[in-house]
Structures are given as C-alpha cells and as structure tokens.
Amino acid sequence: GAWFGEKYADNSKYLFEYVNKNHPEIRAIWITKNEETLSMLKNKNFECYKAYSFNSYIYSSRSMYRFVSVGSGDINFFIPPKFTINLWHGIPLKKIGFDDKITANYKSTFIKELLKSLFGFSKQAMRHSKILASSEVEATKLSSAFNKNMKDIIISGLPRNDVFLNAKRNKKENTFKVIYMPTHRNEGELNVSKLFVNDIEMINERLKLHNIELYIKLHFYHMNQMNIKNYSNIKAVHDKDIEQDIYSVVPDYDILITDYSSIFFDYILSDNPIIFAPFDYEKYITKDRELYYDYDEVTPGPKCKNWEEVLEWIVKFKENPNLFKEEREEVKNRFHKYQDGRNCERVFNEIVKL
C-alpha cells in the first residue's frame, strides 16, 4: 500500500507492478482505503482489497512481507506480517522522523496526541525491518531518522525512479512544459496556494508570451487546497488526471520548479533543468523543518526570490537547458549510487535474500 491507503502511487506501486510482471510465482496484493483505487486496480486485473475488510486481514496475517511508502497506515496497523519493508518516498532534504525536532513540537489536540502515541512514527519505525535508500549519504540520514542500524538500510535505489531511465517521454511537438511542485507546510496545516496565487495573472501572461505551459501539482497533504481555475497557460494537476501517480508523467516535463521538496533529487535523473523557489526559506527552516544539508550546496540550479526571477530562468533554460548541467551531475552522482533503471530488480533481489 501507499500514502495512508489513499493512493496507488510511489515506490510501492512500481515494485508491485514489477513483481506482477516479472515474478508470477509471487502473489502480490494491494491494500487500499480508496474506492477509486480499488476500482482502478481491478480494471487492471491486479489483486486488490479494501483495508480493514475480511480479505485484508486474512492476507495480512498470511503474508510474509508488507511493503509501504510512508508507514504502517498504508495498509493496516493491526496485523503486521513478519517483515515490513519501508520503501519510503524520497531522498530526504528535510529532517524527518527522530531527527525532526520542529514537527514534534506542533501544538496538538488530545486526540492527535493519543493517536500519535498508539500509531505514531516511533511505533511504526520499530516495525520496519528494512528501509530503502539510494546512496550511502542518504542511508546515514535514514539510519538516524528511523533509529535503525545501517545494516537495516538497503541501498538499491528507489523503484519509482526507474521511470526516468526507462520510460519514453510523451513529448508533444512544439510544447514546452514546466511543473511546479512546492512541498507541504506544517504537514498540510498551512495553505500553500499563497505562494503563487497573488501573481497568477502576471505569470500566465508571461508564459503565454513565450509559449510555455506551467502545471501546478501540490503535495498530497494539500490536495484539497488545489482550487485555482485553469488559465490559458497554467493548469492544475489533480490525482484523477494522472491515475494518482505524478511519476507516471513527471519525466515528460522540461523543467521542474520546487522549493524544499525531495522530488528534485529524483528529477535530477532526467538531466533536465531545475529552478528553486525558496521564497520563505528563513521562516521554513525555523517554523516548519530543519534541513539535513546546506541548501545551496545540494540544490543545483538558480535560487529565486520571487516569480519574476523564476520566469526569467524558465526562459533562459528554454534557450539553453545545459545551464547548471555540471552542478546537476555532481549532485546526481552524490545521491544516486545506481543510474541504470534497475532499482525494482535490485530491491526484489535484496528481499529474496531475507
């Protein structure tokens, strides 16, 4: 399962499909809380059951392995198989888990505190048998974040990143597409639309002038805030447009714009330009999340203070996508041990060794 049982996406999806395609001797089952996901997977002829249903509990109790991308809630909390493999959902730039001291101090209600004590990060981390990483650098951070020994971290690359090396681009002629993917704020409790909505008319006009399309995809935590109307050159990307999985289309975009989202570590495998928009950097690192690394050191692209600067760099990269290429290569090689499009295969082989 993935994303609290609400999405068919992320590393769980790509490993699930790899196993179904290449290892028919393995019975792979998807568990979901989402009716649309249930219907979609049945239409794809995959075995799928509703979380907390009779079948869900039966197969959870009988299975050897549970694969999640966030935590135990991706499937169910109550009947864990022998091994839980946390495929995780990105190379962390932001501090997570036991390393994250800011989120732990959020003001919470009694109910939230109770749920946290029963099913919170520390409880889930104890259940994780193995965790995936893409490099030694990332593995050391995950070891600290999950309070695990390094031997419990599998350095294999993330299954979803195979798309950057194996998928054929769905590139339409005479189109130049840019995607903006800001990370969440306060676990979804603050509205992120203010990061762009005040400038949206100006942004659209400038994009139209240069024949560039901008697509906005918000984090899972903020999907209910995606209520902007479509403009001629600005479009909102909803889960229903992409069958719940941004990685099915993200290689098709010519430029990525983000702030602190770890997706740039993945997108760097495409060799396409990245623009960084840390408009609220000081506030973010003091009120939301601390970072594992010096921001300027690991972000291979221009750092913009406002949308005027972002638009200038979009045009520059359209004219010359090789700007910052050496910097992107350096970061890519630092954070991706494997760049061969065989991460799913490696993960499978590592699990077989267990």
Side-chain angles (χ1 to χ4, degrees):
W3 285 100
F4 314 106
E6 294 297 337
K7 293 180 72 171
Y8 179 61
D10 226 301
N11 292 307
S12 304
K13 168 192 170 178
Y14 289 92
L15 185 61
F16 177 72
E17 294 194 354
Y18 170 83
V19 170
N20 271 286
K21 180 179 179 181
N22 297 283
H23 293 279
E25 76 279 9
I26 304 292
R27 186 176 179 185
I29 298 172
W30 191 273
I31 304 297
T32 184
K33 301 180 180 79
N34 186 293
E35 287 288 350
E36 291 180 6
T37 303
L38 183 67
S39 176
M40 179 170 67
L41 265 65
K42 287 187 173 181
N43 287 336
K44 292 176 181 287
N45 293 319
F46 290 135
E47 190 171 3
C48 178
Y49 301 104
K50 201 75 179 292
Y52 309 124
S53 66
F54 178 77
N55 281 331
S56 166
Y57 284 129
I58 289 294
Y59 293 126
S60 288
S61 66
R62 290 176 55 193
S63 64
M64 180 69 75
Y65 300 104
R66 169 171 61 181
F67 296 91
V68 298
S69 292
V70 178
S72 304
D74 292 5
I75 298 176
N76 71 61
F77 288 106
F78 307 114
I79 306 181
K82 185 174 181 180
F83 295 106
T84 294
I85 314 299
N86 194 329
L87 308 173
W88 202 231
H89 51 273
I91 300 169
L93 171 66
K94 308 180 286 285
K95 289 190 176 181
I96 59 172
F98 291 106
D99 296 336
D100 173 21
K101 306 304 182 188
I102 297 179
T103 305
N105 294 324
Y106 283 163
K107 189 175 181 180
S108 295
T109 64
F110 171 76
I111 296 298
K112 280 187 178 179
E113 289 298 323
L114 178 62
L115 290 172
K116 193 187 297 183
S117 68
L118 292 173
F119 308 118
F121 187 87
S122 60
K123 297 285 186 184
Q124 293 190 46
M126 289 167 60
R127 294 180 171 185
H128 298 154
S129 308
K130 301 288 181 181
I131 302 164
L132 290 199
S134 294
S135 65
E136 290 281 351
V137 176
E138 182 193 0
T140 60
K141 302 299 187 259
L142 293 178
S143 173
S144 172
F146 285 89
N147 195 22
K148 291 288 183 183
N149 293 324
M150 283 291 288
K151 66 180 178 59
D152 294 322
I153 313 296
I154 298 173
I155 301 175
S156 59
L158 304 184
R160 70 186 185 191
N161 285 343
D162 285 350
V163 300
F164 291 104
L165 298 145
N166 297 334
K168 294 180 180 178
R169 287 194 67 190
N170 185 22
K171 175 74 172 169
K172 293 181 181 177
E173 203 171 338
N174 300 320
T175 63
F176 193 87
K177 299 188 343 181
V178 180
I179 188 164
Y180 174 47
M181 297 182 65
T183 196
H184 63 80
R185 299 303 194 275
N186 289 152
E187 311 297 300
E189 293 186 8
L190 295 182
N191 195 309
V192 298
S193 62
K194 62 182 180 180
L195 295 172
F196 55 85
V197 74
N198 292 337
D199 298 315
I200 202 160
E201 299 279 358
M202 177 274 289
I203 295 169
N204 188 66
E205 289 305 309
R206 292 276 292 277
L207 293 169
K208 195 188 321 184
L209 182 65
H210 294 282
N211 194 28
I212 295 168
E213 297 175 356
L214 174 67
Y215 294 79
I216 299 171
K217 175 69 170 71
L218 297 188
H219 190 277
F220 172 84
Y221 289 146
H222 294 289
M223 288 311 296
N224 291 334
Q225 298 172 12
M226 183 54 89
N227 54 8
I228 66 165
K229 67 177 183 179
N230 284 339
Y231 289 75
S232 62
N233 288 61
I234 299 176
K235 304 287 188 295
V237 180
H238 299 277
D239 274 356
K240 61 181 174 58
D241 303 324
I242 52 175
E243 290 194 330
Q244 305 178 3
D245 175 33
I246 190 61
Y247 279 76
S248 65
V249 297
V250 77
D252 299 335
Y253 292 95
D254 298 283
I255 297 175
L256 168 70
I257 305 169
T258 190
D259 42 24
Y260 324 106
S261 170
S262 64
I263 193 170
F264 83 85
F265 281 124
D266 298 346
Y267 186 80
I268 208 167
L269 290 165
S270 72
D271 292 325
N272 290 337
I274 305 166
I275 297 171
F276 296 91
F279 301 153
D280 57 347
Y281 177 78
E282 292 298 332
K283 180 180 178 182
Y284 185 84
I285 63 171
T286 55
K287 301 291 186 183
D288 204 310
R289 291 284 187 93
E290 296 173 301
L291 306 182
Y292 279 117
Y293 312 99
D294 178 272
Y295 187 72
D296 290 332
E297 181 189 353
V298 297
T299 49
K303 267 62 87 177
C304 301
K305 297 183 179 66
N306 51 53
W307 274 100
E308 284 280 356
E309 292 184 12
V310 170
L311 290 164
E312 289 174 10
W313 273 104
I314 292 174
V315 174
K316 287 180 183 179
F317 279 130
K318 184 181 181 184
E319 294 171 353
N320 182 7
N322 289 322
L323 296 171
F324 285 91
K325 184 176 178 61
E326 288 184 10
E327 292 88 339
R328 293 197 298 272
E329 282 291 318
E330 183 180 341
V331 173
K332 179 172 69 172
N333 292 333
R334 178 180 174 186
F335 287 94
H336 293 279
K337 181 176 181 179
Y338 301 103
Q339 301 171 27
D340 56 3
R342 298 173 65 182
N343 294 347
C344 286
E345 179 183 342
R346 257 185 303 276
V347 173
F348 181 85
N349 290 335
E350 288 296 327
I351 301 308
V352 167
K353 290 179 185 177
L354 294 179

Coordinates of all heavy atoms in Angstrom, one line a residue, residues 1-2 9-16 30 66-71 74 84-91 128-134 138 142 146 154 156-161 343-344 347-348 351:
G1 N 0.8 -1.2 0.0 CA 0.0 0.0 0.0 C 0.9 1.2 0.0 O 2.1 1.2 0.1
A2 N 0.2 2.4 -0.1 CA 0.9 3.7 -0.2 C 0.1 4.8 0.3 O -1.2 4.8 0.3 CB 1.4 4.0 -1.6
A9 N 0.4 4.7 -5.8 CA 1.5 5.5 -6.3 C 2.8 5.1 -5.6 O 2.8 4.2 -4.8 CB 1.2 7.0 -6.1
D10 N 3.8 5.8 -5.9 CA 5.1 5.8 -5.2 C 5.8 4.5 -5.4 O 5.5 3.7 -6.3 CB 4.9 6.2 -3.8 CG 5.9 7.2 -3.3 OD1 7.1 6.9 -3.4 OD2 5.6 8.3 -2.9
N11 N 6.8 4.3 -4.6 CA 7.7 3.1 -4.7 C 6.9 1.8 -4.6 O 7.3 0.8 -5.2 CB 8.8 3.2 -3.7 CG 9.8 4.3 -3.9 OD1 10.3 4.4 -5.0 ND2 10.0 5.2 -2.9
S12 N 5.9 1.8 -3.7 CA 5.1 0.6 -3.6 C 4.5 0.2 -4.9 O 4.4 -1.0 -5.3 CB 4.0 0.8 -2.6 OG 4.5 1.2 -1.3
K13 N 3.9 1.1 -5.6 CA 3.3 0.9 -6.9 C 4.3 0.2 -7.9 O 3.9 -0.8 -8.6 CB 2.7 2.2 -7.5 CG 2.3 2.0 -9.0 CD 2.0 3.3 -9.7 CE 1.8 3.1 -11.2 NZ 1.5 4.3 -11.9
Y14 N 5.4 0.8 -8.0 CA 6.4 0.4 -9.0 C 7.0 -1.0 -8.7 O 7.2 -1.8 -9.6 CB 7.5 1.4 -9.3 CG 6.9 2.6 -10.0 CD1 6.4 3.7 -9.3 CD2 6.8 2.6 -11.4 CE1 5.8 4.8 -9.9 CE2 6.2 3.7 -12.0 CZ 5.7 4.8 -11.3 OH 5.1 5.8 -11.9
L15 N 7.2 -1.3 -7.4 CA 7.6 -2.6 -7.1 C 6.5 -3.6 -7.3 O 6.7 -4.7 -7.8 CB 8.1 -2.6 -5.6 CG 8.7 -4.0 -5.1 CD1 9.9 -4.3 -5.9 CD2 9.0 -3.9 -3.6
F16 N 5.3 -3.2 -6.9 CA 4.1 -4.1 -7.1 C 3.9 -4.5 -8.6 O 3.7 -5.7 -8.9 CB 2.9 -3.3 -6.6 CG 1.6 -4.0 -6.8 CD1 1.2 -5.1 -6.0 CD2 0.6 -3.6 -7.7 CE1 0.0 -5.8 -6.1 CE2 -0.6 -4.2 -7.9 CZ -0.9 -5.3 -7.1
W30 N -2.5 -5.7 -3.4 CA -2.5 -4.2 -3.0 C -3.7 -4.0 -2.0 O -4.8 -4.5 -2.2 CB -2.7 -3.3 -4.2 CG -2.5 -1.9 -3.9 CD1 -3.4 -1.0 -3.4 CD2 -1.3 -1.2 -4.0 NE1 -2.9 0.2 -3.2 CE2 -1.5 0.2 -3.6 CE3 0.0 -1.5 -4.4 CZ2 -0.6 1.2 -3.6 CZ3 1.0 -0.5 -4.4 CH2 0.7 0.8 -4.0
R66 N 5.3 -7.0 4.1 CA 4.4 -5.8 3.9 C 5.3 -4.7 3.3 O 6.4 -4.4 3.9 CB 3.8 -5.4 5.2 CG 3.1 -4.0 5.1 CD 2.3 -3.7 6.4 NE 3.1 -3.7 7.6 CZ 2.6 -3.5 8.8 NH1 1.3 -3.3 9.0 NH2 3.4 -3.4 9.8
F67 N 4.9 -4.1 2.2 CA 5.6 -3.0 1.6 C 4.8 -1.7 1.7 O 3.7 -1.6 1.3 CB 5.9 -3.3 0.1 CG 6.8 -4.5 -0.1 CD1 6.2 -5.8 -0.2 CD2 8.2 -4.4 -0.1 CE1 7.0 -6.9 -0.4 CE2 9.0 -5.5 -0.2 CZ 8.4 -6.8 -0.4
V68 N 5.5 -0.7 2.3 CA 4.8 0.6 2.4 C 5.7 1.7 1.9 O 6.9 1.5 1.8 CB 4.4 0.9 3.9 CG1 3.4 -0.2 4.4 CG2 5.7 0.9 4.8
S69 N 5.1 2.9 1.6 CA 5.9 4.0 1.2 C 5.9 5.1 2.2 O 6.8 6.0 2.1 CB 5.3 4.6 -0.1 OG 5.5 3.7 -1.2
V70 N 5.0 5.1 3.2 CA 5.0 6.1 4.3 C 5.1 5.4 5.6 O 6.1 5.6 6.4 CB 3.7 7.0 4.2 CG1 3.7 8.0 5.4 CG2 3.6 7.7 2.9
G71 N 4.2 4.5 6.0 CA 4.2 3.8 7.2 C 3.1 2.8 7.3 O 2.5 2.4 6.3
D74 N -0.3 2.7 5.6 CA -0.5 2.5 4.2 C -1.4 1.2 3.9 O -2.0 1.1 2.9 CB 0.8 2.3 3.5 CG 1.6 3.6 3.5 OD1 1.2 4.6 4.1 OD2 2.7 3.6 2.8
T84 N 8.3 -5.9 7.6 CA 7.8 -4.7 7.0 C 8.9 -4.0 6.3 O 9.9 -3.6 6.9 CB 7.2 -3.7 8.0 OG1 6.0 -4.3 8.5 CG2 6.8 -2.4 7.4
I85 N 8.8 -3.8 5.0 CA 9.8 -3.1 4.2 C 9.3 -1.7 3.9 O 8.3 -1.5 3.2 CB 10.2 -3.8 2.9 CG1 10.3 -5.3 3.1 CG2 11.4 -3.2 2.2 CD1 11.5 -5.7 4.1
N86 N 10.0 -0.7 4.4 CA 9.6 0.7 4.2 C 10.4 1.2 3.0 O 11.6 1.4 3.1 CB 9.8 1.6 5.4 CG 9.0 2.9 5.2 OD1 8.9 3.4 4.1 ND2 8.6 3.5 6.3
L87 N 9.7 1.3 1.8 CA 10.3 1.8 0.6 C 10.6 3.3 0.6 O 11.3 3.8 -0.2 CB 9.4 1.4 -0.6 CG 9.0 -0.1 -0.7 CD1 8.0 -0.3 -1.8 CD2 10.3 -1.0 -0.9
W88 N 9.9 4.0 1.6 CA 10.0 5.4 1.8 C 9.6 6.2 0.5 O 9.1 5.6 -0.5 CB 11.4 5.8 2.3 CG 11.4 7.1 3.0 CD1 12.2 8.2 2.8 CD2 10.5 7.5 4.1 NE1 11.9 9.2 3.6 CE2 10.8 8.9 4.4 CE3 9.4 6.9 4.7 CZ2 10.1 9.6 5.4 CZ3 8.7 7.6 5.7 CH2 9.1 8.9 6.1
H89 N 9.6 7.5 0.6 CA 9.0 8.3 -0.5 C 9.9 9.4 -0.9 O 9.5 10.5 -1.3 CB 7.6 8.7 -0.2 CG 7.5 9.4 1.1 ND1 7.2 8.8 2.3 CD2 7.6 10.7 1.4 CE1 7.2 9.6 3.3 NE2 7.4 10.8 2.8
G90 N 11.2 9.2 -0.8 CA 12.1 10.3 -1.3 C 13.4 10.4 -0.5 O 13.4 10.1 0.7
I91 N 14.4 10.9 -1.2 CA 15.7 11.2 -0.6 C 15.5 12.4 0.3 O 15.1 13.5 -0.2 CB 16.8 11.5 -1.6 CG1 17.0 10.2 -2.5 CG2 18.1 11.9 -1.0 CD1 17.8 10.5 -3.7
H128 N 9.6 -1.5 11.3 CA 10.2 -1.6 10.0 C 11.4 -2.5 10.0 O 12.4 -2.2 10.7 CB 10.6 -0.2 9.5 CG 9.5 0.8 9.3 ND1 9.6 2.1 9.4 CD2 8.1 0.5 9.1 CE1 8.4 2.7 9.3 NE2 7.5 1.7 9.1
S129 N 11.4 -3.5 9.2 CA 12.5 -4.4 9.2 C 13.7 -3.9 8.3 O 14.8 -4.0 8.7 CB 12.1 -5.8 8.6 OG 10.9 -6.3 9.2
K130 N 13.3 -3.3 7.2 CA 14.3 -2.7 6.3 C 13.8 -1.4 5.7 O 12.5 -1.3 5.6 CB 14.6 -3.7 5.1 CG 15.2 -5.1 5.6 CD 16.6 -4.9 6.1 CE 17.1 -6.3 6.5 NZ 18.5 -6.3 7.0
I131 N 14.7 -0.6 5.3 CA 14.3 0.7 4.7 C 15.2 0.9 3.5 O 16.4 0.6 3.5 CB 14.5 1.9 5.7 CG1 13.6 1.6 6.9 CG2 14.1 3.2 5.1 CD1 14.0 2.5 8.1
L132 N 14.6 1.5 2.4 CA 15.4 1.7 1.2 C 16.1 3.0 1.1 O 15.6 4.0 1.7 CB 14.4 1.6 -0.1 CG 13.8 0.3 -0.5 CD1 13.4 0.4 -1.9 CD2 14.8 -0.8 -0.3
A133 N 17.2 3.0 0.5 CA 18.0 4.3 0.2 C 18.6 4.2 -1.2 O 18.6 3.2 -1.8 CB 19.1 4.5 1.3
S134 N 19.0 5.4 -1.6 CA 19.6 5.5 -3.0 C 21.1 5.6 -2.9 O 21.8 5.5 -4.0 CB 19.0 6.7 -3.7 OG 17.6 6.5 -4.0
E138 N 22.4 9.1 1.8 CA 21.1 9.0 2.3 C 20.9 8.0 3.4 O 20.1 8.2 4.3 CB 20.1 8.7 1.1 CG 18.7 8.7 1.5 CD 17.8 8.0 0.5 OE1 18.3 7.6 -0.6 OE2 16.6 8.0 0.7
L142 N 18.8 8.2 6.9 CA 17.6 7.3 7.3 C 17.9 6.5 8.5 O 17.0 6.2 9.3 CB 17.3 6.4 6.1 CG 16.8 7.1 4.8 CD1 16.5 6.1 3.7 CD2 15.5 7.9 5.1
F146 N 15.2 6.9 11.5 CA 14.4 5.8 11.9 C 14.9 5.0 13.1 O 14.4 4.0 13.5 CB 14.2 4.8 10.7 CG 13.3 5.3 9.6 CD1 13.7 6.1 8.6 CD2 11.9 5.0 9.7 CE1 12.8 6.5 7.6 CE2 11.0 5.4 8.7 CZ 11.5 6.2 7.7
I154 N 18.7 -0.8 3.0 CA 19.1 -1.4 1.7 C 19.4 -0.3 0.7 O 18.5 0.6 0.4 CB 17.9 -2.2 1.2 CG1 17.6 -3.4 2.2 CG2 18.3 -2.8 -0.2 CD1 16.4 -4.2 1.8
S156 N 19.6 0.5 -2.8 CA 19.2 -0.2 -4.0 C 18.8 0.8 -5.1 O 18.6 0.5 -6.2 CB 18.1 -1.2 -3.7 OG 17.0 -0.5 -3.2
G157 N 18.5 2.1 -4.6 CA 17.8 3.0 -5.5 C 16.3 2.8 -5.3 O 15.8 1.7 -4.8
L158 N 15.5 3.8 -5.5 CA 14.0 3.7 -5.3 C 13.3 3.2 -6.6 O 13.6 3.7 -7.7 CB 13.5 5.1 -5.0 CG 14.2 5.8 -3.7 CD1 13.4 7.1 -3.4 CD2 14.2 4.9 -2.5
P159 N 12.4 2.3 -6.4 CA 11.7 1.7 -7.5 C 11.1 2.7 -8.5 O 11.1 2.6 -9.7 CB 10.6 0.8 -6.9 CG 11.2 0.4 -5.6 CD 12.0 1.6 -5.1
R160 N 10.5 3.8 -7.9 CA 9.8 4.7 -8.8 C 10.8 5.5 -9.7 O 10.4 6.0 -10.8 CB 9.0 5.8 -8.0 CG 9.9 6.7 -7.2 CD 9.1 7.6 -6.3 NE 10.0 8.6 -5.7 CZ 9.6 9.4 -4.7 NH1 8.4 9.3 -4.2 NH2 10.5 10.3 -4.1
N161 N 12.0 5.5 -9.4 CA 13.0 6.3 -10.2 C 13.4 5.6 -11.5 O 14.1 6.2 -12.3 CB 14.2 6.7 -9.4 CG 13.9 7.8 -8.4 OD1 12.9 8.5 -8.6 ND2 14.8 8.0 -7.4
N343 N 16.3 -0.4 -10.4 CA 16.1 -0.4 -9.0 C 15.1 -1.4 -8.5 O 15.3 -2.1 -7.5 CB 15.6 1.0 -8.6 CG 16.7 2.1 -8.8 OD1 17.8 1.8 -9.0 ND2 16.3 3.3 -8.7
C344 N 14.0 -1.6 -9.3 CA 13.0 -2.6 -8.9 C 13.6 -4.0 -8.8 O 13.4 -4.8 -7.8 CB 11.8 -2.7 -9.9 SG 10.7 -1.3 -9.8
V347 N 15.8 -4.2 -5.6 CA 15.0 -4.3 -4.4 C 14.5 -5.8 -4.3 O 14.6 -6.4 -3.2 CB 13.8 -3.4 -4.4 CG1 12.9 -3.6 -3.2 CG2 14.4 -1.9 -4.4
F348 N 13.9 -6.3 -5.4 CA 13.4 -7.7 -5.3 C 14.5 -8.7 -4.9 O 14.3 -9.5 -4.0 CB 12.9 -8.1 -6.7 CG 12.3 -9.5 -6.7 CD1 11.0 -9.7 -6.3 CD2 13.1 -10.5 -7.1 CE1 10.5 -11.0 -6.3 CE2 12.6 -11.8 -7.2 CZ 11.3 -12.0 -6.7
I351 N 15.3 -8.5 -1.2 CA 14.2 -9.0 -0.4 C 14.3 -10.6 -0.4 O 14.1 -11.2 0.6 CB 12.8 -8.6 -0.8 CG1 12.7 -7.1 -0.8 CG2 11.7 -9.2 0.0 CD1 13.1 -6.4 0.5

